[in-house]
């Protein structure tokens, strides 16, 4: 099967640009064999490779990615590894009680796996920390959403704490937020630092990762044969960890929604600007309204900066052009100016976008697609936790292990069919713009 499309990531992976240059890549060359091939080195691929290396020590495990580790979506996100339900299509992230209890258990399994890797590979607190997270509310409606979500969490038996406007100001330095809902179980990551740290650790466990090695064809000739521009790998078992690009490999056509979201990162704040802002040096807020703006303030490698993320666009081709970044930049600048009027001269240094993959019914694609070919895809916008979960479960399935989480994943429905592309595109565009407009000052 020829791979229909290769990934194209718009703008720089800013988190990765903050880090020292990595060792030069070693693209795949010549004909090679492996016991296991993992395609994709994001959260899912790295977790799958890690789990395989534990469950089948001594096996030859190879990972291929089209780009450098940390340059793909795994290094482009806001770094909230969330344990609780996080349904982006809902009003307040919550859903049906039983589904949310199961999701939380699954997300925590993904986070525990990430924590295990962070400990094993000696990652810093900047790369991975169990800090909990806050849903920030800028409006009375947002505050009501926070309260509704807190009620839902209470019904789930989950702890949470409401912060008032004064507490929010103490944390963030800005008067923008009326309230915040703190929940303790999420991790925060510097996403590029995390995935690169895991990749370095895996390599030291004698696992091979070839970057800049896009798979252009994948065929079964007895074993599976993956072709890249300069090489070929033959392996009996393959794990596809390419998120929405599962479609590009010919699977689940018409059932995966390809959505982009976007972020901007400021230049380094001066000491005077940081003092003028006040608040804590490191914090992060997801919006009380899922269509709102995520904000992070960071301090560490690459200096003190603020990162703004908002807007979703539905792009079935999995590609966007440069004008899109200019378009969303206006919304980022508006969101920044509204929250940080005390920093009028702070400009954005990096702007970028990245792909999410969602299914209409919120299910992941974890399972065996064909003999010896496994999927760890469709993370529904929460790939840090769900991708790590999917990678671990796909590896366990391929090895023949079982667990309640794997049984649940295998018992899940297929992703629902989408309407024909023109209708889906129009419907999604209207739906997203309407909900973004409704988000008001939460955007
Ligand atoms: C701005 C932004 C903010 C976000 N914020 C958050 C957040 O706070 N929390 C959260 O959980 N999620 C967030 N996300 C989503 C998150 O980044 C994704 O869900 C996650 O990266 C998916 O993980 P994955 O490993 O499944 O896929 P990916 O990270 O997309 O990794 C798949 C890899 O497969 C590779 N690949 C694809 N096709 C091929 C091929 N043919 N050959 C070789 N390699 C191939 C790609 O290059 C890619 O590196 C955000 C995303 C963006 C863009």
């Amino acid at each position: 099967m020829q791979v229909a499309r290769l990934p194209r990531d718009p703008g720089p992976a800013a988190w990765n640009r903050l880090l020292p240059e990595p060792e030069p890549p070693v693209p795949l060359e010549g004909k090679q064999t492996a016991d296991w091939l993992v395609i994709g080195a994001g959260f899912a691929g790295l977790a799958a490779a890690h789990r395989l290396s534990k469950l089948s020590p001594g096996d030859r495990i190879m990972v291929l990615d089209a780009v450098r580790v940390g340059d793909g979506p795994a290094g482009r996100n806001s770094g909230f590894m969330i344990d609780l339900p996080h349904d982006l299509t809902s009003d307040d992230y919550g859903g049906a009680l039983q589904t949310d209890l199961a999701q939380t258990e699954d997300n925590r399994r993904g986070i525990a796996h990430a924590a295990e890797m962070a400990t094993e590979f000696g990652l810093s607190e900047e790369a991975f920390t169990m800090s909990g997270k806050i849903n920030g509310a800028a409006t009375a409606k947002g505050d009501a959403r926070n309260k509704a979500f807190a009620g839902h969490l209470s019904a789930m038996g989950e702890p949470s704490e409401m912060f008032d406007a004064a507490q929010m100001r103490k944390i963030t330095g800005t008067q923008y937020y009326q309230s915040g809902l703190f929940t303790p179980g999420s991790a925060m990551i510097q996403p590029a630092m995390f995935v690169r740290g895991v990749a370095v650790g895996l390599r030291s466990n004698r696992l091979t990762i070839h970057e800049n090695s896009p798979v252009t064809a994948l065929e079964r000739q007895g074993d599976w044969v993956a072709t890249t521009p300069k090489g070929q790998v033959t392996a009996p078992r393959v794990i596809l960890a390419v998120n929405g690009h599962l479609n590009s490999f010919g699977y689940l056509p018409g059932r995966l929604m390809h959505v982009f979201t976007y972020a901007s990162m400021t230049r380094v704040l001066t000491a005077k600007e940081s003092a003028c802002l006040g608040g804590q040096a490191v914090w992060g807020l997801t919006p009380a309204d899922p269509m709102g703006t995520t904000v992070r303030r960071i301090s560490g490698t690459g200096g003190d900066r603020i990162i703004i993320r908002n807007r979703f666009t539905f792009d079935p081709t999995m590609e966007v052009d440069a004008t899109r970044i200019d378009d969303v930049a206006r919304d980022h600048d508006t969101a920044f100016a509204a929250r940080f009027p005390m920093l009028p001269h702070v400009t954005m240094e990096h702007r970028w976008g990245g792909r999410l993959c969602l299914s209409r019914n919120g299910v992941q694609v974890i399972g065996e697609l064909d003999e010896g070919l496994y999927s760890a895809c469709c993370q529904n916008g929460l790939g840090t936790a769900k991708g790590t979960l999917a990678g671990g479960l796909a590896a366990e399935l391929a090895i023949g292990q079982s667990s309640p989480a794997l049984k649940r994943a295998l018992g899940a429905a297929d992703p629902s069919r989408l309407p024909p592309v023109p209708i889906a595109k129009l419907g999604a565009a209207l739906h997203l713009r309407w909900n973004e407009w409704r988000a008001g000052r939460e955007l």
Side-chain angles (χ1 to χ4, degrees), residues 382-411:
L382 192 59
T384 58
K386 288 186 188 295
T388 310
L389 170 84
L393 291 182
E396 288 164 23
L397 172 67
I399 295 261
Q401 280 208 342
S402 185
S403 67
L406 182 55
K407 281 196 188 129
R408 193 154 52 229
L410 296 177

PDB file of all heavy atoms in Angstrom, residues 382-411:
ATOM      1  N   LEU A 382      -6.198  14.557  23.126  1.00  0.00           N
ATOM      2  CA  LEU A 382      -5.498  14.439  24.419  1.00  0.00           C
ATOM      3  C   LEU A 382      -4.359  13.414  24.281  1.00  0.00           C
ATOM      4  O   LEU A 382      -4.214  12.492  25.073  1.00  0.00           O
ATOM      5  CB  LEU A 382      -6.490  14.016  25.520  1.00  0.00           C
ATOM      6  CG  LEU A 382      -5.984  14.139  26.947  1.00  0.00           C
ATOM      7  CD1 LEU A 382      -5.573  15.574  27.285  1.00  0.00           C
ATOM      8  CD2 LEU A 382      -7.024  13.656  27.939  1.00  0.00           C
ATOM      9  N   GLY A 383      -3.568  13.627  23.234  1.00  0.00           N
ATOM     10  CA  GLY A 383      -2.563  12.620  22.865  1.00  0.00           C
ATOM     11  C   GLY A 383      -1.464  12.422  23.879  1.00  0.00           C
ATOM     12  O   GLY A 383      -0.840  11.362  23.907  1.00  0.00           O
ATOM     13  N   THR A 384      -1.186  13.433  24.714  1.00  0.00           N
ATOM     14  CA  THR A 384      -0.120  13.251  25.708  1.00  0.00           C
ATOM     15  C   THR A 384      -0.454  12.053  26.599  1.00  0.00           C
ATOM     16  O   THR A 384       0.389  11.184  26.804  1.00  0.00           O
ATOM     17  CB  THR A 384       0.030  14.514  26.572  1.00  0.00           C
ATOM     18  OG1 THR A 384      -1.226  14.777  27.206  1.00  0.00           O
ATOM     19  CG2 THR A 384       0.427  15.723  25.751  1.00  0.00           C
ATOM     20  N   ALA A 385      -1.700  12.007  27.085  1.00  0.00           N
ATOM     21  CA  ALA A 385      -2.112  10.892  27.954  1.00  0.00           C
ATOM     22  C   ALA A 385      -2.659   9.723  27.134  1.00  0.00           C
ATOM     23  O   ALA A 385      -2.227   8.578  27.294  1.00  0.00           O
ATOM     24  CB  ALA A 385      -3.170  11.374  28.945  1.00  0.00           C
ATOM     25  N   LYS A 386      -3.582  10.023  26.210  1.00  0.00           N
ATOM     26  CA  LYS A 386      -4.242   8.938  25.478  1.00  0.00           C
ATOM     27  C   LYS A 386      -3.301   8.277  24.471  1.00  0.00           C
ATOM     28  O   LYS A 386      -3.427   7.094  24.173  1.00  0.00           O
ATOM     29  CB  LYS A 386      -5.489   9.456  24.748  1.00  0.00           C
ATOM     30  CG  LYS A 386      -6.639   9.790  25.684  1.00  0.00           C
ATOM     31  CD  LYS A 386      -7.880  10.165  24.888  1.00  0.00           C
ATOM     32  CE  LYS A 386      -8.983  10.699  25.766  1.00  0.00           C
ATOM     33  NZ  LYS A 386      -9.515   9.716  26.706  1.00  0.00           N
ATOM     34  N   GLY A 387      -2.375   9.060  23.911  1.00  0.00           N
ATOM     35  CA  GLY A 387      -1.398   8.485  22.984  1.00  0.00           C
ATOM     36  C   GLY A 387      -0.469   7.536  23.722  1.00  0.00           C
ATOM     37  O   GLY A 387      -0.179   6.429  23.245  1.00  0.00           O
ATOM     38  N   THR A 388      -0.038   7.963  24.912  1.00  0.00           N
ATOM     39  CA  THR A 388       0.842   7.099  25.709  1.00  0.00           C
ATOM     40  C   THR A 388       0.096   5.823  26.081  1.00  0.00           C
ATOM     41  O   THR A 388       0.650   4.713  26.002  1.00  0.00           O
ATOM     42  CB  THR A 388       1.311   7.856  26.977  1.00  0.00           C
ATOM     43  OG1 THR A 388       1.813   9.139  26.567  1.00  0.00           O
ATOM     44  CG2 THR A 388       2.398   7.101  27.704  1.00  0.00           C
ATOM     45  N   LEU A 389      -1.172   5.988  26.461  1.00  0.00           N
ATOM     46  CA  LEU A 389      -2.002   4.818  26.766  1.00  0.00           C
ATOM     47  C   LEU A 389      -2.094   3.890  25.552  1.00  0.00           C
ATOM     48  O   LEU A 389      -1.868   2.682  25.641  1.00  0.00           O
ATOM     49  CB  LEU A 389      -3.415   5.274  27.155  1.00  0.00           C
ATOM     50  CG  LEU A 389      -4.433   4.151  27.268  1.00  0.00           C
ATOM     51  CD1 LEU A 389      -4.365   3.501  28.638  1.00  0.00           C
ATOM     52  CD2 LEU A 389      -5.852   4.650  27.009  1.00  0.00           C
ATOM     53  N   ALA A 390      -2.416   4.486  24.386  1.00  0.00           N
ATOM     54  CA  ALA A 390      -2.637   3.691  23.172  1.00  0.00           C
ATOM     55  C   ALA A 390      -1.377   2.918  22.787  1.00  0.00           C
ATOM     56  O   ALA A 390      -1.444   1.734  22.423  1.00  0.00           O
ATOM     57  CB  ALA A 390      -3.069   4.605  22.022  1.00  0.00           C
ATOM     58  N   GLY A 391      -0.227   3.585  22.884  1.00  0.00           N
ATOM     59  CA  GLY A 391       1.031   2.915  22.528  1.00  0.00           C
ATOM     60  C   GLY A 391       1.293   1.728  23.432  1.00  0.00           C
ATOM     61  O   GLY A 391       1.627   0.625  22.964  1.00  0.00           O
ATOM     62  N   GLY A 392       1.100   1.939  24.734  1.00  0.00           N
ATOM     63  CA  GLY A 392       1.329   0.848  25.690  1.00  0.00           C
ATOM     64  C   GLY A 392       0.376  -0.311  25.430  1.00  0.00           C
ATOM     65  O   GLY A 392       0.786  -1.477  25.401  1.00  0.00           O
ATOM     66  N   LEU A 393      -0.902   0.009  25.180  1.00  0.00           N
ATOM     67  CA  LEU A 393      -1.890  -1.059  24.979  1.00  0.00           C
ATOM     68  C   LEU A 393      -1.643  -1.810  23.668  1.00  0.00           C
ATOM     69  O   LEU A 393      -1.790  -3.036  23.623  1.00  0.00           O
ATOM     70  CB  LEU A 393      -3.311  -0.478  24.989  1.00  0.00           C
ATOM     71  CG  LEU A 393      -3.825   0.057  26.331  1.00  0.00           C
ATOM     72  CD1 LEU A 393      -5.265   0.545  26.188  1.00  0.00           C
ATOM     73  CD2 LEU A 393      -3.725  -0.992  27.440  1.00  0.00           C
ATOM     74  N   ALA A 394      -1.271  -1.076  22.620  1.00  0.00           N
ATOM     75  CA  ALA A 394      -1.019  -1.752  21.335  1.00  0.00           C
ATOM     76  C   ALA A 394       0.153  -2.724  21.483  1.00  0.00           C
ATOM     77  O   ALA A 394       0.129  -3.844  20.937  1.00  0.00           O
ATOM     78  CB  ALA A 394      -0.744  -0.728  20.240  1.00  0.00           C
ATOM     79  N   ALA A 395       1.177  -2.324  22.240  1.00  0.00           N
ATOM     80  CA  ALA A 395       2.326  -3.211  22.457  1.00  0.00           C
ATOM     81  C   ALA A 395       1.890  -4.445  23.241  1.00  0.00           C
ATOM     82  O   ALA A 395       2.262  -5.577  22.899  1.00  0.00           O
ATOM     83  CB  ALA A 395       3.426  -2.455  23.205  1.00  0.00           C
ATOM     84  N   GLU A 396       1.062  -4.237  24.261  1.00  0.00           N
ATOM     85  CA  GLU A 396       0.618  -5.373  25.072  1.00  0.00           C
ATOM     86  C   GLU A 396      -0.250  -6.325  24.235  1.00  0.00           C
ATOM     87  O   GLU A 396      -0.116  -7.547  24.336  1.00  0.00           O
ATOM     88  CB  GLU A 396      -0.162  -4.863  26.289  1.00  0.00           C
ATOM     89  CG  GLU A 396       0.761  -4.201  27.305  1.00  0.00           C
ATOM     90  CD  GLU A 396       0.029  -3.352  28.332  1.00  0.00           C
ATOM     91  OE1 GLU A 396      -1.164  -3.584  28.564  1.00  0.00           O
ATOM     92  OE2 GLU A 396       0.669  -2.436  28.891  1.00  0.00           O
ATOM     93  N   LEU A 397      -1.105  -5.753  23.388  1.00  0.00           N
ATOM     94  CA  LEU A 397      -1.932  -6.584  22.506  1.00  0.00           C
ATOM     95  C   LEU A 397      -1.046  -7.412  21.573  1.00  0.00           C
ATOM     96  O   LEU A 397      -1.255  -8.614  21.402  1.00  0.00           O
ATOM     97  CB  LEU A 397      -2.862  -5.678  21.678  1.00  0.00           C
ATOM     98  CG  LEU A 397      -3.658  -6.347  20.567  1.00  0.00           C
ATOM     99  CD1 LEU A 397      -4.688  -7.309  21.146  1.00  0.00           C
ATOM    100  CD2 LEU A 397      -4.372  -5.301  19.696  1.00  0.00           C
ATOM    101  N   ALA A 398      -0.052  -6.757  20.997  1.00  0.00           N
ATOM    102  CA  ALA A 398       0.813  -7.445  20.025  1.00  0.00           C
ATOM    103  C   ALA A 398       1.613  -8.561  20.690  1.00  0.00           C
ATOM    104  O   ALA A 398       1.890  -9.595  20.075  1.00  0.00           O
ATOM    105  CB  ALA A 398       1.752  -6.422  19.378  1.00  0.00           C
ATOM    106  N   ILE A 399       1.959  -8.362  21.951  1.00  0.00           N
ATOM    107  CA  ILE A 399       2.735  -9.371  22.683  1.00  0.00           C
ATOM    108  C   ILE A 399       1.827 -10.476  23.221  1.00  0.00           C
ATOM    109  O   ILE A 399       2.270 -11.554  23.563  1.00  0.00           O
ATOM    110  CB  ILE A 399       3.466  -8.682  23.873  1.00  0.00           C
ATOM    111  CG1 ILE A 399       4.488  -7.676  23.361  1.00  0.00           C
ATOM    112  CG2 ILE A 399       4.053  -9.651  24.857  1.00  0.00           C
ATOM    113  CD1 ILE A 399       5.899  -8.139  23.312  1.00  0.00           C
ATOM    114  N   GLY A 400       0.522 -10.180  23.334  1.00  0.00           N
ATOM    115  CA  GLY A 400      -0.412 -11.201  23.814  1.00  0.00           C
ATOM    116  C   GLY A 400      -0.771 -11.055  25.282  1.00  0.00           C
ATOM    117  O   GLY A 400      -1.252 -11.991  25.894  1.00  0.00           O
ATOM    118  N   GLN A 401      -0.511  -9.869  25.852  1.00  0.00           N
ATOM    119  CA  GLN A 401      -0.908  -9.632  27.243  1.00  0.00           C
ATOM    120  C   GLN A 401      -2.333  -9.112  27.300  1.00  0.00           C
ATOM    121  O   GLN A 401      -2.819  -8.543  26.329  1.00  0.00           O
ATOM    122  CB  GLN A 401      -0.002  -8.570  27.850  1.00  0.00           C
ATOM    123  CG  GLN A 401       1.331  -9.108  28.279  1.00  0.00           C
ATOM    124  CD  GLN A 401       1.903  -8.303  29.431  1.00  0.00           C
ATOM    125  OE1 GLN A 401       1.485  -7.190  29.677  1.00  0.00           O
ATOM    126  NE2 GLN A 401       2.856  -8.886  30.124  1.00  0.00           N
ATOM    127  N   SER A 402      -2.973  -9.248  28.452  1.00  0.00           N
ATOM    128  CA  SER A 402      -4.327  -8.716  28.577  1.00  0.00           C
ATOM    129  C   SER A 402      -4.453  -7.849  29.829  1.00  0.00           C
ATOM    130  O   SER A 402      -3.662  -7.984  30.749  1.00  0.00           O
ATOM    131  CB  SER A 402      -5.323  -9.873  28.641  1.00  0.00           C
ATOM    132  OG  SER A 402      -6.620  -9.352  28.643  1.00  0.00           O
ATOM    133  N   SER A 403      -5.413  -6.950  29.821  1.00  0.00           N
ATOM    134  CA  SER A 403      -5.679  -6.103  30.988  1.00  0.00           C
ATOM    135  C   SER A 403      -7.093  -5.555  30.821  1.00  0.00           C
ATOM    136  O   SER A 403      -7.619  -5.534  29.690  1.00  0.00           O
ATOM    137  CB  SER A 403      -4.682  -4.930  31.046  1.00  0.00           C
ATOM    138  OG  SER A 403      -4.913  -4.065  29.952  1.00  0.00           O
ATOM    139  N   PRO A 404      -7.722  -5.097  31.908  1.00  0.00           N
ATOM    140  CA  PRO A 404      -9.058  -4.494  31.752  1.00  0.00           C
ATOM    141  C   PRO A 404      -9.031  -3.321  30.767  1.00  0.00           C
ATOM    142  O   PRO A 404      -9.956  -3.151  29.967  1.00  0.00           O
ATOM    143  CB  PRO A 404      -9.396  -4.014  33.167  1.00  0.00           C
ATOM    144  CG  PRO A 404      -8.576  -4.877  34.070  1.00  0.00           C
ATOM    145  CD  PRO A 404      -7.321  -5.193  33.323  1.00  0.00           C
ATOM    146  N   ALA A 405      -7.953  -2.517  30.795  1.00  0.00           N
ATOM    147  CA  ALA A 405      -7.889  -1.359  29.888  1.00  0.00           C
ATOM    148  C   ALA A 405      -7.835  -1.826  28.434  1.00  0.00           C
ATOM    149  O   ALA A 405      -8.492  -1.241  27.556  1.00  0.00           O
ATOM    150  CB  ALA A 405      -6.668  -0.504  30.218  1.00  0.00           C
ATOM    151  N   LEU A 406      -7.076  -2.886  28.178  1.00  0.00           N
ATOM    152  CA  LEU A 406      -6.982  -3.390  26.802  1.00  0.00           C
ATOM    153  C   LEU A 406      -8.329  -3.975  26.369  1.00  0.00           C
ATOM    154  O   LEU A 406      -8.789  -3.717  25.249  1.00  0.00           O
ATOM    155  CB  LEU A 406      -5.858  -4.429  26.699  1.00  0.00           C
ATOM    156  CG  LEU A 406      -5.618  -5.006  25.301  1.00  0.00           C
ATOM    157  CD1 LEU A 406      -5.365  -3.905  24.274  1.00  0.00           C
ATOM    158  CD2 LEU A 406      -4.453  -5.985  25.305  1.00  0.00           C
ATOM    159  N   LYS A 407      -8.961  -4.718  27.265  1.00  0.00           N
ATOM    160  CA  LYS A 407     -10.287  -5.286  26.923  1.00  0.00           C
ATOM    161  C   LYS A 407     -11.265  -4.171  26.585  1.00  0.00           C
ATOM    162  O   LYS A 407     -12.042  -4.268  25.641  1.00  0.00           O
ATOM    163  CB  LYS A 407     -10.823  -6.093  28.105  1.00  0.00           C
ATOM    164  CG  LYS A 407     -10.202  -7.467  28.202  1.00  0.00           C
ATOM    165  CD  LYS A 407     -11.043  -8.348  29.118  1.00  0.00           C
ATOM    166  CE  LYS A 407     -10.282  -9.662  29.345  1.00  0.00           C
ATOM    167  NZ  LYS A 407     -10.156 -10.021  30.737  1.00  0.00           N
ATOM    168  N   ARG A 408     -11.182  -3.092  27.368  1.00  0.00           N
ATOM    169  CA  ARG A 408     -12.086  -1.952  27.135  1.00  0.00           C
ATOM    170  C   ARG A 408     -11.792  -1.342  25.763  1.00  0.00           C
ATOM    171  O   ARG A 408     -12.703  -1.032  24.998  1.00  0.00           O
ATOM    172  CB  ARG A 408     -11.869  -0.925  28.238  1.00  0.00           C
ATOM    173  CG  ARG A 408     -12.880   0.128  28.325  1.00  0.00           C
ATOM    174  CD  ARG A 408     -13.033   0.727  29.708  1.00  0.00           C
ATOM    175  NE  ARG A 408     -11.782   1.168  30.299  1.00  0.00           N
ATOM    176  CZ  ARG A 408     -11.403   0.856  31.535  1.00  0.00           C
ATOM    177  NH1 ARG A 408     -12.155   0.083  32.290  1.00  0.00           N
ATOM    178  NH2 ARG A 408     -10.262   1.291  32.021  1.00  0.00           N
ATOM    179  N   ALA A 409     -10.518  -1.178  25.468  1.00  0.00           N
ATOM    180  CA  ALA A 409     -10.145  -0.572  24.180  1.00  0.00           C
ATOM    181  C   ALA A 409     -10.605  -1.454  23.020  1.00  0.00           C
ATOM    182  O   ALA A 409     -11.131  -0.954  22.014  1.00  0.00           O
ATOM    183  CB  ALA A 409      -8.637  -0.356  24.126  1.00  0.00           C
ATOM    184  N   LEU A 410     -10.436  -2.767  23.177  1.00  0.00           N
ATOM    185  CA  LEU A 410     -10.809  -3.671  22.083  1.00  0.00           C
ATOM    186  C   LEU A 410     -12.325  -3.774  21.936  1.00  0.00           C
ATOM    187  O   LEU A 410     -12.829  -4.042  20.843  1.00  0.00           O
ATOM    188  CB  LEU A 410     -10.206  -5.063  22.317  1.00  0.00           C
ATOM    189  CG  LEU A 410      -8.669  -5.117  22.305  1.00  0.00           C
ATOM    190  CD1 LEU A 410      -8.174  -6.517  22.611  1.00  0.00           C
ATOM    191  CD2 LEU A 410      -8.107  -4.634  20.966  1.00  0.00           C
ATOM    192  N   GLY A 411     -13.031  -3.532  23.056  1.00  0.00           N
ATOM    193  CA  GLY A 411     -14.494  -3.621  23.012  1.00  0.00           C
ATOM    194  C   GLY A 411     -15.148  -2.334  22.538  1.00  0.00           C
ATOM    195  O   GLY A 411     -16.363  -2.280  22.369  1.00  0.00           O
TER     196      GLY A 411
END
